[in-house]
Amino acid sequence: MESLPIHITINSELYTKNPESSDLGKKIVRTSIEMINDLGFESFTFKKLGVAIESNESSIYRYFESKHALLVYLINWYWSWIEYKLVFATTNITSAKDKLNTAITLFTQEVKEDNSFTFINEVLLNKIIISESAKAYHTKDVDEENKKGFYETYKRVVQRVSDIVLEINPKFEFPHMLISTVIEGAHHQRYFSQHLPALTDVEEGKNNVVRFYTDLVQKTIV
Amino acid sequence: MESLPIHITINSELYTKNPESSDLGKKIVRTSIEMINDLGFESFTFKKLGVAIESNESSIYRYFESKHALLVYLINWYWSWIEYKLVFATTNITSAKDKLNTAITLFTQEVKEDNSFTFINEVLLNKIIISESAKAYHTKDVDEENKKGFYETYKRVVQRVSDIVLEINPKFEFPHMLISTVIEGAHHQRYFSQHLPALTDVEEGKNNVVRFYTDLVQKTIV
DNA sequence: AATATATGAAAGTATTACTATTAAACCGAA
DNA sequence: TTCGGTTTAATAGTAATACTTTCATATATT
């Protein structure tokens, strides 16, 4: 896909001070992505991040009120980016079936290149989504955070693709279930292939995740 | 299903001292299930559990070396129990298709009654699986723990049902992907229906989760 | 040059996830 | 019924986490 100098805007509820507004802010986000990948979300701390960026813990708290808030920010950035790619890739496609296949491929394929039109490494961010994103919404505060719009971008992406499903088959009863199953499922399969291979059938270079879910969706919505 | 006085044996790697060997041990497990449901896994601590059971934190550590270890124990108990139900429910069914449907129903239906042939409340345990089980394997120690057999019961259940899929269609390429997608997917849908309803199409009393996945599986394996 | 804003340094707090030690209670066998 | 072993309770302690607060300093704006 062509790389454009687009700008992804994040809901201001999701940070205390906009990390894009300063070099320090961008460094916090950029470095946190690397560190969450290396250490895992549990072992990642603002203290360690402070050391890594040669800044202070208290300065990081000026941008994000907690590491949970930072994770939610990253997840929203990811889904905004996917939404952009989705809209870009499906515009001017007239066939709903082609649009759906494009969307499913986008959700299930490995993210391999960092287009780097921004300060965010999308390859690493995709790995965080796969390994850590469930931790963002599996908390006792989900309901409250959901009301505040913390999961809007994800929901909007699911809605867009559900609408494509309904274009193809207006009588299909479970479009949201289908799309969220595909998205979460693809993430699980990528994780399992690395860590619990007995739970999957992923093989190097055979594109099995994309093929499996593309076929599953086509057959299911008929 | 008929309630039998069966006994579920848990791999002794999964505890320091077998909680089934004493009243205190059973109380630890029983009460931890209630508390993890009430507080969520993050806010649950051995200190709080000690207060609740009128025992001491240090006594709990004699049974489980950490709260993570306790969660892994519960998850294994759950999958052993599901495996038992699976084997029981599919024995004497000759049609592979019927066996598969039985399995899918078992995975996707809500657990509503506590058969209570044990000290474990299965309804609450099922809720923990839905909300917290991803936290068990989304850690930096997965690979190590997987080697030690911490996820054997889950893998065995997936294998059993994958074998049924292959009985129906020996050429189907992705049986493990399909089954793990259904299991994880059903858990997500139940969670979403409670907390992020925009991501699902679950409706009270309409059995949508079971219907959706049963239909999806049948169409996909053809 | 004055002022506002952003960042840094340091110290402090409550809580967590443990570990270690010792003493008391319990329990079965001689 | 007392001995020995095991189990549990009570207490204290540790290192780390997830912050908060305060104040000083650097930098940018007017």
Side-chain angles (χ1 to χ4, degrees), chain A residues 17 55 59 62-63:
Chain A
K17 179 184 158 92
S55 174
S59 302
R62 289 218 178 73
Y63 289 85

Side-chain angles (χ1 to χ4, degrees), chain B:
Chain B
M1 198 197 295
E2 199 184 345
S3 172
L4 292 172
I6 63 121
H7 184 250
I8 282 166
T9 306
I10 302 296
N11 176 353
S12 62
E13 287 271 309
L14 297 169
Y15 47 75
T16 310
K17 180 183 157 90
N18 191 346
E20 290 192 71
S21 70
S22 73
D23 284 348
L24 181 64
K26 284 178 221 158
K27 211 170 170 187
I28 287 170
V29 172
R30 194 189 314 121
T31 311
S32 72
I33 290 173
E34 289 162 16
M35 291 186 79
I36 292 171
N37 260 286
D38 289 345
L39 305 173
F41 187 65
E42 280 70 35
S43 300
F44 164 78
T45 71
F46 279 4
K47 179 130 217 167
K48 289 175 188 169
L49 176 58
V51 172
I53 63 175
E54 289 175 297
S55 176
N56 201 271
E57 208 187 344
S58 59
S59 303
I60 301 164
Y61 278 101
R62 291 226 174 66
Y63 289 86
F64 297 102
E65 66 178 33
S66 65
K67 72 171 182 172
H68 172 76
L70 170 57
L71 180 61
V72 172
Y73 175 91
L74 294 178
I75 291 170
N76 271 274
W77 200 98
Y78 179 81
W79 287 112
S80 294
W81 175 66
I82 291 286
E83 187 179 28
Y84 154 75
K85 297 227 288 184
L86 177 66
V87 172
F88 192 88
T90 55
T91 304
N92 299 325
I93 297 183
T94 41
S95 151
K97 283 186 183 179
D98 289 349
K99 272 197 271 186
L100 183 57
N101 281 337
T102 303
I104 301 305
T105 301
L106 182 61
F107 294 151
T108 56
Q109 82 194 153
E110 230 183 311
V111 176
K112 277 186 179 159
E113 18 171 319
D114 174 19
N115 293 292
S116 67
F117 51 69
T118 64
F119 57 109
I120 285 182
N121 181 326
E122 291 112 17
V123 177
L124 294 182
L125 183 55
N126 177 246
K127 289 185 179 169
I128 291 176
I129 299 300
I130 289 170
S131 303
E132 318 288 356
S133 70
K135 293 168 191 171
Y137 56 76
H138 282 139
T139 48
K140 279 286 150 181
D141 303 324
V142 221
D143 299 339
E144 207 181 306
E145 297 188 346
N146 185 33
K147 269 186 204 155
K148 287 192 202 154
F150 283 27
Y151 304 103
E152 278 314 305
T153 49
Y154 182 26
K155 283 151 66 172
R156 218 162 52 221
V157 167
V158 170
Q159 188 57 54
R160 277 182 190 277
V161 184
S162 296
D163 289 343
I164 301 174
V165 169
L166 292 175
E167 256 187 77
I168 298 170
N169 177 1
K171 287 184 180 159
F172 185 66
E173 277 181 278
F174 314 118
H176 304 87
M177 267 171 103
L178 178 65
I179 300 308
S180 61
T181 294
V182 169
I183 291 172
E184 299 287 340
H187 294 162
H188 276 107
Q189 299 308 319
R190 298 260 170 232
Y191 189 83
F192 291 158
S193 74
Q194 295 292 305
H195 303 292
L196 298 161
L199 299 175
T200 190
D201 311 276
V202 176
E203 287 164 88
E204 195 64 46
K206 296 190 86 180
N207 217 20
N208 286 0
V209 182
V210 178
R211 284 170 55 222
F212 170 69
Y213 285 107
T214 302
D215 184 59
L216 177 152
V217 168
Q218 275 169 13
K219 287 175 171 164
T220 302
I221 64 174
V222 180

